[in-house]
């Protein structure tokens, strides 16, 4: 302001004085002198500076840096103030200051508006001697001031409406994805904090053990020490009948002044044993779909499964022709490689009572679920009523959470840097190393260590437990390998990056859409301001009618296509950046085995850039061409269903097919980290003439079609297993030999036959004598003889 006043305003005032005193003070516009207009421009600049000062104080200092306006006027008014930042707010207050200081109709108000120093007689250029011709009380000037205020207010209202519209649309579109992602991010941050605590206490114990400090009271058993650290760090108590006794053993952390170490360790002695046996917790029951096979006793056999593992060797099957149920006689069931002489009602003494009760309840629940049909709860779609719209506070909190995705430590500082995939993998590996130190005699992480985060005393947070189990798929023995742990963290990182890229691209689309709205808005605003000033807008509009009509005929069809593409992306949003999509004709039938897919590399309101998933070829498609296509979004297609046809011989008994079905179902249920459920296996085709029956196998994968690679790998393993089972049960279907139709109209295939040139007559086969043979060798020999004779004589039959 000082520079403008010194370098601009003072020279203008000096020029006005020269014109007034030495230049004859000529008239310029509306009867006012040129010197008066120059001074009037200086005064307008000063009122503009006043408006800028008000904008800085109210908007930038109070509204954006304090919560005063938010507490006094609410979030909507605060948002209105913030959206007026810039020229709209300045225009409004510029008009207000002009109405106060530079506008008047009569009396002293008019004199002050024309000359701020009207009551002095020393400087004539600043009093009534310098003719203002009543400009400040004219209707045109009044209309200009009103137009400034109206333009600022309407622009602020437009900004607020667009911000709410686009903000709520983005909130509704990405809210659930962000909520799920933030839950996983919170779990990873808590895991990082837990790993840091375990690592610090383990280092402290190793230091004290190395320097002989354990002799003054610290426990010499590392298992006992770390278990007590865990119990005090997270207020965790174990479950089961001895929970109260174990809680008493861990009520005080031993110190250097302790008389003696605790008598009993709350954890079992070192060694590799099941996590379920350690705490009595069956973490597999927190999966989304629990089967009876998921709660059977864990096995220590780590060898790869074979069909013989699942096929019953000495089990006896009993088939019910009415219900087609298969029951097993498990009198010869083996435990740890030895036959179990106990009956079904007797319980192994190694199994905790709580686990036995959980298994009995799960079996009962499984029996109830088997009697019910497969059914999925309908998705409740929120309506468009005003009371269901997200509030401004929710939108602001959503934007604040989105900014957290840009942090180089999104999973907390204890977890480590995760701004790139390599850093995330290294941090995950380091966290896994720290977590394993909780059980130093184990080389694999027990899931009980992670379960500390969801256990509060004797209670378990089931919602968090399900999220934790889904994030880190533990095996049936209750362990999480290093690969599975890193893979779980990597999945969260990929979800984070894809969501962040989608949000950034959504901001780009919103910016372009806002520019389109601005063009329409400012066109309408121009005509409104012209009418406020006193100019007829229709006369201005008629002068452009010819140009508008010519553009309509020239670009009407193109504009319609562009509008169709804009509506597709702006309103429907069928895909985001990074999604795998498939494009097809809406009237063409769908292929159950899947279709060719593309990755969305980039998109805007007019074009979409795609990358072919098979060959990485880049293609650009107009959005108008996608408007009428059937778009399959694999990223939004959760739980891929695999459909595979199986052919069995027509002589295969129903009992054998039931055994096959039960075996495959058990194979699927034993891999909960890959398969979600065994959906169905039903007969869909019977061909007695061809000698086969066709069954359709339907299984549901845990991953969506976005991750096609792992799905196809698991499908190949399942199909291979089905083939091996079919071989073991003697169910393979071999197609019968098909009859071969020999057509003698053309020459048989022979290396010695020279084909005639194009247009040349064909050489006939010599007539067969009755004594000649009819075998293929005889026919070829006769053909070669005829070819040799034709080449010698040079004569061809006109045939």
């Amino acid at each position: 302001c000082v520079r403008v006043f010194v370098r601009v305003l003072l020279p203008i005032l000096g020029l006005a004085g020269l014109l007034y005193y030495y230049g004859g003070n000529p008239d310029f516009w509306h009867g006012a002198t040129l010197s008066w207009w120059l001074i009037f421009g200086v005064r307008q600049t000063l009122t503009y500076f006043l408006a800028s000062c008000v904008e800085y104080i109210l908007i930038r200092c109070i509204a954006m840096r304090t919560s005063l306006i938010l507490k006094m006027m609410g979030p909507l008014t605060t948002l209105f103030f913030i959206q007026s930042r810039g020229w709209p707010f300045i225009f409004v207050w510029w008009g207000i200051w002009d109405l106060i200081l530079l506008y008047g109709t009569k009396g002293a108000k008019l004199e002050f508006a024309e000359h701020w120093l009207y009551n002095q007689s020393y400087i004539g250029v600043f009093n009534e001697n310098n003719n203002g011709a009543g400009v400040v009380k004219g209707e045109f000037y009044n209309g200009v001031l009103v137009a400034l205020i109206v333009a600022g207010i309407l622009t602020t209202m437009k900004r607020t409406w667009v911000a709410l519209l686009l903000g709520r649309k983005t909130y509704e579109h990405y809210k659930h994805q962000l909520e799920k992602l933030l839950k996983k991010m919170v779990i990873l941050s808590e895991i990082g904090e837990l790993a840091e605590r375990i690592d610090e206490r383990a280092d402290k114990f190793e230091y004290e053990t190395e320097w002989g400090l354990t002799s003054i009271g610290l426990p010499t058993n590392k298992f006992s020490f770390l278990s007590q650290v865990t119990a005090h760090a997270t207020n965790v108590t174990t479950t089961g009948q001895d929970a109260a006794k174990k809680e008493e053993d861990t009520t005080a952390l031993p110190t250097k002044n302790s008389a003696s170490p605790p008598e009993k360790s709350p954890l079992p002695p070192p060694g590799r044993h099941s996590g379920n046996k350690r705490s009595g917790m069956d973490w597999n029951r927190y999966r989304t779909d629990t089967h009876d096979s998921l709660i059977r006793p864990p096995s220590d056999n780590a060898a790869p499964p074979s069909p013989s593992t699942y096929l019953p060797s000495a089990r006896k099957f009993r088939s019910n022709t009415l219900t087609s149920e298969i029951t097993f006689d498990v009198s010869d069931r083996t435990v740890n490689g030895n036959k179990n002489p106990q009956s079904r009602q007797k319980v192994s003494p190694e199994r905790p009572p709580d686990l036995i009760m959980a298994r009995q309840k799960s079996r009962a629940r499984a029996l109830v679920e088997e009697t019910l049909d497969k059914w999925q709860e309908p998705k409740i779609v929120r309506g468009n009523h005003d009371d269901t719209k997200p509030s401004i506070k929710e939108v602001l909190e959503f934007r604040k959470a989105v900014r957290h995705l840009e942090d180089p430590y999104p999973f907390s500082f204890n977890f480590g840097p995760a701004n790139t995939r390599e850093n995330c993998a290294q941090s995950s590996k380091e966290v896994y190393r720290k977590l394993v130190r909780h059980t130093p005699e184990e080389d694999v992480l027990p899931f009980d260590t992670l379960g500390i985060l969801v256990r509060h005393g004797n209670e378990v947070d089931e919602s968090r437990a399900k999220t934790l189990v889904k994030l880190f798929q533990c095996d049936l023995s209750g362990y999480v390998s290093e690969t599975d742990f890193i893979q779980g963290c990597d999945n969260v990182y990929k979800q984070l990056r894809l969501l962040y890229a989608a949000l950034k691209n959504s901001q780009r689309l919103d910016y372009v859409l806002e520019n389109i709205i601005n063009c329409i808005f400012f066109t309408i605003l121009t005509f409104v301001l012209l009418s406020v000033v006193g100019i007829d807008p229709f006369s201005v509009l008629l002068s452009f009618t010819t140009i508008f009509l010519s553009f309509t005929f020239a670009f009407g069809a193109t504009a319609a296509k562009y509008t169709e593409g804009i509506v597709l992306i702006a309103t429907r949003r069928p895909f985001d950046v990074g999604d795998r999509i498939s494009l097809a004709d809406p009237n063409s039938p769908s292929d159950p085995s899947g279709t060719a897919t593309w990755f969305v590399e980039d998109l805007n309101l007019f074009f979409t850039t795609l990358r072919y998933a098979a060959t990485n070829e880049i293609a650009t498609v107009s959005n108008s061409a996608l408007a009428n296509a059937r778009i399959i979004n694999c990223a939004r297609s959760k739980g891929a269903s695999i459909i595979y046809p199986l052919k069995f011989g027509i002589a295969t008994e129903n009992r054998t097919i039931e055994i096959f079905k039960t075996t495959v179902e058990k194979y699927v249920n034993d891999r909960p980290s890959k398969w979600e459920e065994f959906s169905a296996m039903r007969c869909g085709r019977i061909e007695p003439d061809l000698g086969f029956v066709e069954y359709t196998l339907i299984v549901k994968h845990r991953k969506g079609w976005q991750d096609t690679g792992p799905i196809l790998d698991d499908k190949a393993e399942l199909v291979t297993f089905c083939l091996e089972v079919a071989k073991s049960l003697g169910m393979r279907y071999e197609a019968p030999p098909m009859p071969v139709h020999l057509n003698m109209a053309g020459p048989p295939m022979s290396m010695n036959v020279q084909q005639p040139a194009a247009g040349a007559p064909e050489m006939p086969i010599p007539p067969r004598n009755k004594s000649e043979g009819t075998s293929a060798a005889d026919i070829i020999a006769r053909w070669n003889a005829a070819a040799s004779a034709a080449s010698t004589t040079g004569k061809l039959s006109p045939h």
Side-chain angles (χ1 to χ4, degrees):
C1 294
V2 175
R3 291 180 180 179
V4 172
F5 182 79
V6 173
R7 297 180 181 182
V8 178
L9 299 185
L10 285 181
I12 290 177
L13 291 177
L15 179 60
L18 292 175
L19 291 174
Y20 179 80
Y21 290 106
Y22 303 103
N25 199 16
D27 294 339
F28 180 67
W29 192 33
H30 286 278
T33 61
L34 181 58
S35 61
W36 184 90
W37 279 107
L38 293 175
I39 297 174
F40 183 74
V42 172
R43 293 191 292 169
Q44 288 289 345
T45 305
L46 295 178
T47 55
Y48 177 84
F49 286 157
L50 289 175
S52 300
C53 292
V54 175
E55 189 263 349
Y56 179 81
I57 295 173
L58 293 181
I59 302 300
R60 301 181 185 273
C61 294
I62 298 179
M64 300 183 64
R65 298 183 182 179
T66 65
S67 59
L68 181 62
I69 297 180
L70 180 63
K71 295 179 180 179
M72 295 177 58
M73 302 182 180
L76 182 60
T77 305
T78 305
L79 179 63
F80 186 83
F81 267 93
I82 294 176
Q83 291 298 325
S84 66
R85 182 181 58 180
W87 68 265
F89 189 92
I90 294 175
F91 272 28
V92 171
W93 280 92
W94 193 9
I96 293 175
W97 283 117
D98 280 356
L99 288 175
I100 296 174
L101 302 176
L102 295 176
Y103 179 76
T105 56
K106 59 182 180 179
K109 178 67 174 176
L110 175 60
E111 294 178 355
F112 178 79
E114 287 188 344
H115 306 282
W116 283 351
L117 302 178
Y118 71 96
N119 55 354
Q120 57 85 27
S121 58
Y122 299 103
I123 306 175
V125 71
F126 294 140
N127 56 27
E128 66 275 4
N129 294 329
N130 196 1
N131 185 18
V135 173
V136 295
K137 67 176 181 179
E139 295 181 358
F140 179 80
Y141 177 67
N142 185 26
V144 171
L145 297 182
V146 174
L148 286 175
I149 299 175
V150 171
I153 294 176
L154 292 181
T155 304
T156 303
M157 294 175 63
K158 186 270 305 178
R159 287 183 176 182
T160 305
W161 175 75
V162 171
L164 289 176
L165 176 66
L166 299 180
R168 285 173 174 171
K169 190 174 184 61
T170 304
Y171 173 84
E172 293 175 351
H173 188 74
Y174 296 103
K175 170 189 174 183
H176 299 291
Q177 298 183 39
L178 185 61
E179 284 181 349
K180 294 179 181 179
L181 178 60
L182 289 179
K183 289 181 180 179
K184 297 177 181 179
M185 292 173 63
V186 169
I187 288 179
L188 290 184
S189 64
E190 293 178 354
I191 290 176
E193 183 179 357
L194 176 63
E196 192 67 24
R197 291 184 179 180
I198 291 175
D199 190 57
E200 290 178 358
R201 293 304 181 98
D203 288 341
K204 179 181 178 181
F205 175 78
E206 291 177 356
Y207 173 79
E208 294 173 346
T209 304
E210 180 181 0
W211 290 93
L213 299 180
T214 55
S215 60
I216 59 175
L218 285 178
T220 56
N221 188 350
K222 184 182 292 188
F223 247 96
S224 175
F225 176 79
L226 290 177
S227 63
Q228 294 174 13
V229 169
T230 303
H232 281 272
T234 58
N235 295 326
V236 173
T237 57
T238 56
T239 58
Q241 295 180 349
D242 299 334
K245 184 176 180 180
K246 292 181 179 180
E247 185 175 3
E248 293 177 358
D249 295 337
T250 58
T251 52
L253 186 66
T255 60
K256 297 182 179 180
N257 298 325
S258 300
S260 61
E263 298 179 358
K264 185 180 293 186
S265 170
L267 289 179
R272 182 176 177 82
H273 39 258
S274 171
N276 294 337
K277 292 181 181 179
R278 180 183 293 113
S279 65
M281 288 295 299
D282 185 13
W283 296 105
N284 288 302
R285 69 187 181 93
Y286 290 105
R287 301 185 188 274
T288 54
D289 294 310
T290 305
H291 303 277
D292 183 60
S293 61
L294 296 179
I295 55 175
R296 69 183 191 282
S299 175
D300 294 334
N301 185 16
S306 62
S308 60
T309 307
Y310 294 90
L311 286 175
S313 56
R315 297 183 185 182
K316 300 178 182 180
F317 287 86
R318 183 175 70 254
S319 176
N320 191 329
T321 57
L322 297 178
T323 60
S324 299
E325 293 181 352
I326 301 296
T327 59
F328 297 93
D329 184 4
V330 294
S331 58
D332 56 348
R333 178 176 296 176
T334 59
V335 178
N336 295 330
N338 301 321
K339 287 199 173 183
N340 183 10
Q342 299 178 353
S343 62
R344 183 178 302 180
Q345 287 79 13
K346 294 182 181 181
V347 180
S348 174
E350 297 179 359
R351 304 177 184 176
D354 293 343
L355 185 58
I356 297 299
M357 184 66 67
R359 288 170 182 166
Q360 293 176 354
K361 292 181 180 180
S362 181
R363 290 192 181 97
R365 184 172 62 253
L367 291 176
V368 173
E369 292 178 353
E370 288 179 357
T371 60
L372 301 177
D373 297 333
K374 299 286 185 182
W375 187 71
Q376 187 176 3
E377 290 284 346
K379 184 178 180 181
I380 306 300
V381 181
R382 188 169 61 180
N384 295 325
H385 303 288
D386 294 335
D387 54 347
T388 61
K389 292 183 179 180
S391 63
I392 300 175
K393 182 179 179 181
E394 292 175 342
V395 175
L396 295 178
E397 290 178 350
F398 176 83
R399 292 185 176 181
K400 183 178 180 180
V402 169
R403 287 195 296 269
H404 180 68
L405 302 181
E406 304 175 0
D407 195 334
Y409 296 86
F411 308 138
S412 76
F413 185 80
N414 291 327
F415 185 89
N419 52 341
T420 62
R421 193 179 186 186
E422 292 76 11
N423 291 341
C424 181
Q426 292 295 331
S427 300
S428 304
K429 187 175 181 179
E430 182 65 18
V431 169
Y432 186 87
R433 182 192 65 80
K434 295 178 181 178
L435 292 173
V436 172
R437 300 187 70 183
H438 182 263
T439 53
E441 301 300 328
E442 302 277 359
D443 55 351
V444 184
L445 177 66
F447 200 86
D448 278 345
T449 303
L450 300 178
I452 295 174
L453 301 174
V454 298
R455 299 180 62 180
H456 306 282
N458 294 330
E459 298 180 357
V460 176
D461 189 345
E462 294 190 0
S463 177
R464 288 169 55 85
K466 290 180 180 179
T467 304
L468 190 64
V469 172
K470 189 175 181 179
L471 182 60
F472 303 105
Q473 297 290 344
C474 64
D475 56 16
L476 297 178
S477 300
Y479 287 90
V480 181
S481 64
E482 182 179 9
T483 303
D484 292 336
F485 184 83
I486 297 176
Q487 186 66 36
C489 298
D490 183 69
N491 291 335
V492 179
Y493 171 81
K494 290 189 291 185
Q495 294 176 14
L496 185 149
R497 301 307 300 175
L498 287 175
L499 180 59
Y500 181 72
L503 289 169
K504 284 298 181 181
N505 188 77
S506 177
Q507 292 179 3
R508 289 175 50 197
L509 296 179
D510 293 344
Y511 178 77
V512 177
L513 185 61
E514 185 177 2
N515 289 337
I516 296 175
I517 296 175
N518 288 340
C519 293
I520 301 174
F521 170 77
F522 286 115
T523 301
I524 299 175
L525 181 63
T526 301
F527 292 106
V528 171
L529 296 181
L530 289 176
S531 62
V532 170
V533 173
I535 301 175
D536 187 9
F538 294 100
S539 60
V540 179
L541 183 62
L542 289 175
S543 61
F544 293 97
T545 303
T546 306
I547 301 176
F548 290 157
L549 289 176
S550 61
F551 272 95
T552 300
F553 284 109
F555 303 101
T558 305
K561 291 182 179 180
Y562 272 106
T563 304
E564 191 175 13
I566 292 172
V567 171
L568 170 71
I569 301 299
T571 59
R572 287 173 53 187
R573 290 194 179 183
F575 46 77
D576 295 314
V577 173
D579 289 355
R580 182 194 291 264
I581 65 173
S582 175
L583 306 176
D585 185 6
N587 300 322
S588 63
S590 300
D591 188 2
S593 61
T595 57
T597 57
W598 301 76
F599 284 106
V600 180
E601 293 289 317
D602 189 16
L603 76 151
N604 51 45
L605 292 179
F606 307 107
F607 298 99
T608 299
T609 303
L610 303 175
R611 176 169 56 87
Y612 192 43
T615 60
N616 285 336
E617 296 174 307
I618 301 296
T620 302
V621 185
S622 175
N623 292 338
S624 59
L626 302 176
N628 298 323
R630 182 180 63 203
I631 303 175
I632 301 176
N633 193 325
C634 298
R636 302 176 188 176
S637 304
K638 305 298 182 182
S641 294
I642 307 299
I643 302 175
Y644 187 77
L646 299 171
K647 289 185 179 180
F648 305 133
I650 194 68
T652 305
E653 298 180 357
N654 185 47
R655 170 177 172 273
T656 307
I657 295 177
E658 290 291 342
I659 296 175
F660 178 88
K661 177 182 177 181
T662 305
T663 304
V664 175
E665 183 176 4
K666 186 179 180 183
Y667 173 86
V668 172
N669 293 339
D670 284 348
R671 283 151 182 81
S673 61
K674 298 180 179 180
W675 303 103
E676 185 171 343
E677 65 176 359
F678 179 91
S679 299
M681 178 180 166
R682 60 177 65 95
C683 180
R685 182 183 175 190
I686 301 178
E687 295 290 344
D689 297 336
L690 299 178
F692 73 86
V693 291
E694 184 176 282
Y695 278 75
T696 301
L697 177 65
I698 305 175
V699 292
K700 188 176 181 181
H701 204 276
R702 287 202 173 273
K703 294 182 178 292
W705 283 112
Q706 179 75 10
D707 302 323
T708 305
I711 295 177
L712 295 180
D713 293 340
D714 297 337
K715 177 183 176 181
E717 294 179 1
L718 177 62
V719 171
T720 304
F721 178 80
C722 292
L723 177 62
E724 296 297 329
V725 173
K727 288 180 182 179
S728 303
L729 296 176
M731 303 172 60
R732 286 193 61 192
Y733 164 69
E734 296 182 359
M738 301 298 294
V740 179
H741 178 65
L742 295 177
N743 186 5
M744 302 307 297
M749 299 301 296
S750 176
M751 297 301 295
N752 298 327
V753 177
Q754 296 180 358
Q755 299 293 338
E762 296 181 357
M763 182 174 59
I765 300 176
R768 181 179 62 86
N769 296 329
K770 294 182 179 180
S771 60
E772 293 178 349
T774 58
S775 63
D778 295 336
I779 294 175
I780 294 175
R782 289 190 292 110
W783 177 267
N784 292 334
S788 300
S791 61
T792 303
T793 59
K795 295 181 180 180
L796 294 177
S797 173
H799 225 296

